[in-house]
Amino acid sequence: MEQFHIVLKDFANWKMENIDVLEKFKHNRILLYDRFEPVYEVLNTIYEKAVEQEELSEDLQTIFQVGLTYLHTQFEVIRIYYEKLFNSDCHLFEDYTPLVTYLLFISDFRSDLEEFEETIDFSDLNDVESQIENMIAERDNRFDYAADILNKAISDIESQLDHEYVSIIDIFVEIADNLNVDLSTNKAFTVGKDIF
C-alpha cells in the first residue's frame, strides 16, 4: 500500500494542476469532458475510498493506476491544443473539439492494438491522423468529412481483427456503473459511435 500512496498523491497533484481546465470544460459542456468523465469520476471515487479506508483491493489499485496513466497522457495532449493552439479560448476550442476527440480516439485505438502492430496495416489510419492534425491547425471544420475518413480507416482495421475492440472509455463506463458512480453522460464510446 505504501507504493500506492505515491500514486494517490500523483492523482491529487494532477487534479490540482488541471482542476481549473476540467471545471471550465465541465461548465461549458465541452465534448471532451464527457469523454473523460468516466475515468475522472472513477478515479475520484477510488481516491475517496482510499482516503476513508486504508486498504483497497488489488483490482481497485490497478484500475486507479491504469486510469491515472491514461488520464495524464491524454489530458497532456488536450492541454497542448487548448493552451497553445487555441490560446486557452474555451469557446474557440469547443468549436474544434470534435477533431481533437478524433485524434484522441486514434491514439486510444492505436495503443490498444499495439500487440497487432506487425499484422495490421495502420497506414490509412496514420494518413487520417495527419489530415485531422492539419485540419485543426488550419481551422478546417469539415467534421463530417473527418468522421467519414476516420470511420473508413477504423472499419478497414477492424476487418483485419479477429476480436471486437472495446475502448478504455467503455471499460471505465462499465467500472463506473459497477461502483455506482453517477455520470452526467451515459454515452458509450465504442468504435463507430465514438466519433459521432
Side-chain angles (χ1 to χ4, degrees), residues 30-62:
I30 302 285
L31 177 66
L32 286 171
Y33 182 81
D34 289 347
R35 178 178 174 76
F36 289 106
E37 184 188 33
V39 180
Y40 179 61
E41 291 302 334
V42 164
L43 292 181
N44 276 324
T45 300
I46 295 172
Y47 182 83
E48 288 170 13
K49 285 178 186 274
V51 169
E52 291 170 9
Q53 64 192 48
E54 282 302 307
E55 287 299 315
L56 288 177
S57 72
E58 197 173 309
D59 287 346
L60 286 180
Q61 289 183 34
T62 301

Coordinates of all heavy atoms in Angstrom, one line a residue, residues 30-62:
I30 N -18.1 21.0 -22.7 CA -17.1 20.7 -23.8 C -17.2 19.2 -24.0 O -17.1 18.4 -23.0 CB -15.7 21.1 -23.5 CG1 -15.6 22.6 -23.2 CG2 -14.7 20.7 -24.5 CD1 -15.7 23.5 -24.4
L31 N -17.3 18.7 -25.2 CA -17.4 17.3 -25.6 C -16.3 16.5 -24.9 O -16.6 15.3 -24.5 CB -17.4 17.2 -27.1 CG -17.4 15.8 -27.7 CD1 -18.7 15.1 -27.4 CD2 -17.1 15.8 -29.2
L32 N -15.1 17.0 -24.8 CA -14.0 16.2 -24.2 C -14.3 15.9 -22.8 O -13.8 14.9 -22.3 CB -12.7 17.0 -24.4 CG -12.2 17.0 -25.8 CD1 -11.0 17.9 -25.9 CD2 -11.8 15.6 -26.3
Y33 N -15.0 16.8 -22.1 CA -15.3 16.4 -20.7 C -16.1 15.2 -20.6 O -15.9 14.3 -19.8 CB -15.9 17.6 -19.9 CG -16.1 17.2 -18.5 CD1 -15.1 17.3 -17.6 CD2 -17.3 16.7 -18.0 CE1 -15.3 16.9 -16.2 CE2 -17.5 16.3 -16.7 CZ -16.5 16.4 -15.8 OH -16.6 16.0 -14.5
D34 N -17.1 15.1 -21.5 CA -17.9 13.9 -21.5 C -17.1 12.6 -21.7 O -17.3 11.6 -21.2 CB -19.0 14.0 -22.6 CG -20.1 15.0 -22.2 OD1 -20.2 15.4 -21.1 OD2 -20.9 15.3 -23.1
R35 N -16.1 12.8 -22.6 CA -15.3 11.6 -22.9 C -14.5 11.2 -21.7 O -14.3 10.0 -21.5 CB -14.3 12.0 -24.1 CG -13.4 10.9 -24.5 CD -12.5 11.3 -25.7 NE -11.5 10.3 -26.0 CZ -11.7 9.2 -26.6 NH1 -12.9 8.9 -27.0 NH2 -10.7 8.3 -26.8
F36 N -13.9 12.1 -21.0 CA -13.0 11.7 -19.8 C -13.8 11.6 -18.5 O -13.2 11.1 -17.6 CB -11.9 12.8 -19.7 CG -10.9 12.7 -20.8 CD1 -10.9 13.6 -21.8 CD2 -10.1 11.6 -20.8 CE1 -10.0 13.5 -22.8 CE2 -9.2 11.5 -21.9 CZ -9.1 12.5 -22.9
E37 N -15.0 12.0 -18.5 CA -15.7 11.9 -17.2 C -15.7 10.5 -16.6 O -15.5 10.4 -15.3 CB -17.2 12.4 -17.4 CG -17.9 12.4 -16.1 CD -19.4 12.7 -16.2 OE1 -20.0 12.3 -17.2 OE2 -19.9 13.3 -15.3
P38 N -16.0 9.4 -17.3 CA -16.0 8.1 -16.7 C -14.6 7.8 -16.0 O -14.6 7.3 -14.8 CB -16.2 7.1 -17.8 CG -16.9 7.9 -18.9 CD -16.3 9.3 -18.7
V39 N -13.5 8.1 -16.6 CA -12.2 7.8 -16.0 C -12.0 8.7 -14.8 O -11.7 8.3 -13.7 CB -11.1 8.0 -17.0 CG1 -9.7 7.7 -16.4 CG2 -11.3 7.1 -18.3
Y40 N -12.3 10.0 -15.0 CA -12.1 11.0 -13.9 C -12.9 10.7 -12.7 O -12.4 10.7 -11.6 CB -12.4 12.4 -14.5 CG -12.2 13.5 -13.5 CD1 -11.0 13.8 -12.9 CD2 -13.3 14.4 -13.2 CE1 -10.9 14.8 -12.0 CE2 -13.2 15.4 -12.3 CZ -11.9 15.6 -11.7 OH -11.8 16.7 -10.9
E41 N -14.2 10.4 -12.9 CA -15.1 10.2 -11.8 C -14.8 8.8 -11.1 O -14.9 8.7 -9.8 CB -16.5 10.2 -12.2 CG -17.0 11.6 -12.6 CD -16.9 12.7 -11.5 OE1 -16.9 12.3 -10.3 OE2 -16.7 13.8 -11.8
V42 N -14.4 7.8 -11.8 CA -13.9 6.6 -11.2 C -12.7 6.8 -10.3 O -12.6 6.3 -9.2 CB -13.7 5.5 -12.2 CG1 -12.9 4.3 -11.6 CG2 -15.0 5.0 -12.8
L43 N -11.8 7.6 -10.8 CA -10.6 7.9 -10.0 C -10.9 8.7 -8.8 O -10.4 8.4 -7.7 CB -9.6 8.7 -10.9 CG -8.9 8.0 -12.0 CD1 -7.9 8.9 -12.7 CD2 -8.2 6.7 -11.6
N44 N -11.8 9.6 -8.9 CA -12.3 10.4 -7.7 C -12.9 9.5 -6.7 O -12.6 9.6 -5.5 CB -13.3 11.5 -8.1 CG -12.6 12.7 -8.6 OD1 -11.6 13.1 -8.1 ND2 -13.3 13.4 -9.6
T45 N -13.7 8.5 -7.1 CA -14.4 7.6 -6.2 C -13.4 6.7 -5.5 O -13.5 6.5 -4.3 CB -15.4 6.8 -7.0 OG1 -16.4 7.7 -7.6 CG2 -16.1 5.8 -6.1
I46 N -12.5 6.1 -6.3 CA -11.5 5.3 -5.7 C -10.6 6.1 -4.7 O -10.2 5.6 -3.6 CB -10.6 4.5 -6.7 CG1 -11.5 3.6 -7.6 CG2 -9.5 3.8 -6.1 CD1 -10.8 3.0 -8.8
Y47 N -10.2 7.3 -5.1 CA -9.4 8.1 -4.2 C -10.1 8.4 -2.9 O -9.5 8.3 -1.8 CB -9.1 9.5 -4.9 CG -8.2 10.4 -4.1 CD1 -6.9 10.3 -4.2 CD2 -8.8 11.4 -3.4 CE1 -6.0 11.1 -3.4 CE2 -8.0 12.3 -2.6 CZ -6.6 12.1 -2.7 OH -5.8 13.0 -1.9
E48 N -11.4 8.7 -3.0 CA -12.2 8.9 -1.7 C -12.2 7.7 -0.9 O -12.1 7.7 0.3 CB -13.6 9.4 -2.1 CG -13.6 10.8 -2.6 CD -15.0 11.2 -3.2 OE1 -16.0 10.5 -3.0 OE2 -15.0 12.3 -3.9
K49 N -12.4 6.5 -1.5 CA -12.4 5.2 -0.8 C -11.0 5.1 -0.1 O -11.0 4.6 1.1 CB -12.6 4.1 -1.7 CG -14.1 3.9 -2.1 CD -14.1 2.7 -3.1 CE -15.5 2.6 -3.7 NZ -16.4 1.8 -2.9
A50 N -10.0 5.4 -0.8 CA -8.6 5.2 -0.2 C -8.4 6.2 1.0 O -7.8 5.8 2.0 CB -7.5 5.5 -1.2
V51 N -8.9 7.4 0.9 CA -8.8 8.3 2.0 C -9.6 7.9 3.2 O -9.2 8.0 4.3 CB -9.2 9.7 1.5 CG1 -9.3 10.7 2.7 CG2 -8.2 10.3 0.5
E52 N -10.8 7.4 2.9 CA -11.7 6.9 4.0 C -11.3 5.6 4.7 O -11.5 5.5 5.9 CB -13.1 6.8 3.5 CG -13.8 8.1 3.1 CD -15.1 8.0 2.4 OE1 -15.6 6.8 2.3 OE2 -15.6 9.0 1.9
Q53 N -10.8 4.7 3.9 CA -10.4 3.4 4.4 C -9.0 3.1 4.0 O -8.6 3.5 2.9 CB -11.3 2.3 4.0 CG -11.3 2.1 2.5 CD -12.4 1.2 2.0 OE1 -13.6 1.4 2.4 NE2 -12.1 0.2 1.2
E54 N -8.2 2.5 4.8 CA -6.8 2.4 4.4 C -6.5 1.4 3.3 O -5.7 1.7 2.4 CB -6.0 1.9 5.7 CG -5.7 2.9 6.7 CD -4.9 4.1 6.1 OE1 -3.8 3.8 5.5 OE2 -5.3 5.2 6.2
E55 N -7.2 0.3 3.3 CA -6.9 -0.8 2.3 C -7.9 -0.7 1.1 O -9.1 -0.6 1.2 CB -7.0 -2.1 2.9 CG -5.9 -2.5 3.9 CD -4.5 -2.5 3.2 OE1 -4.4 -3.0 2.1 OE2 -3.6 -1.9 3.8
L56 N -7.3 -0.8 -0.1 CA -8.1 -1.0 -1.3 C -7.7 -2.4 -1.9 O -6.6 -2.8 -1.8 CB -7.7 0.1 -2.3 CG -8.2 1.5 -2.1 CD1 -7.7 2.4 -3.1 CD2 -9.7 1.6 -2.0
S57 N -8.7 -3.0 -2.6 CA -8.4 -4.2 -3.3 C -7.3 -4.0 -4.3 O -7.1 -2.9 -4.9 CB -9.6 -4.8 -3.9 OG -10.0 -4.1 -5.0
E58 N -6.7 -5.1 -4.7 CA -5.7 -5.0 -5.8 C -6.3 -4.6 -7.1 O -5.7 -3.8 -7.8 CB -5.0 -6.4 -5.9 CG -3.7 -6.3 -6.7 CD -3.0 -7.7 -6.7 OE1 -2.8 -8.2 -5.6 OE2 -2.6 -8.1 -7.8
D59 N -7.5 -5.0 -7.3 CA -8.3 -4.6 -8.5 C -8.5 -3.1 -8.6 O -8.3 -2.5 -9.6 CB -9.6 -5.3 -8.6 CG -9.5 -6.8 -9.0 OD1 -8.4 -7.2 -9.4 OD2 -10.5 -7.5 -8.8
L60 N -8.9 -2.5 -7.5 CA -9.2 -1.1 -7.4 C -7.8 -0.3 -7.6 O -7.8 0.7 -8.3 CB -9.9 -0.7 -6.2 CG -11.3 -1.0 -6.0 CD1 -11.9 -0.5 -4.7 CD2 -12.1 -0.4 -7.2
Q61 N -6.8 -0.8 -7.0 CA -5.5 -0.2 -7.2 C -5.1 -0.2 -8.7 O -4.6 0.8 -9.2 CB -4.4 -0.9 -6.3 CG -4.6 -0.6 -4.9 CD -3.5 -1.2 -4.0 OE1 -2.4 -1.3 -4.5 NE2 -3.9 -1.7 -2.8
T62 N -5.3 -1.3 -9.3 CA -4.9 -1.5 -10.7 C -5.7 -0.5 -11.6 O -5.2 0.1 -12.5 CB -5.1 -2.9 -11.2 OG1 -4.2 -3.8 -10.4 CG2 -4.7 -3.1 -12.7

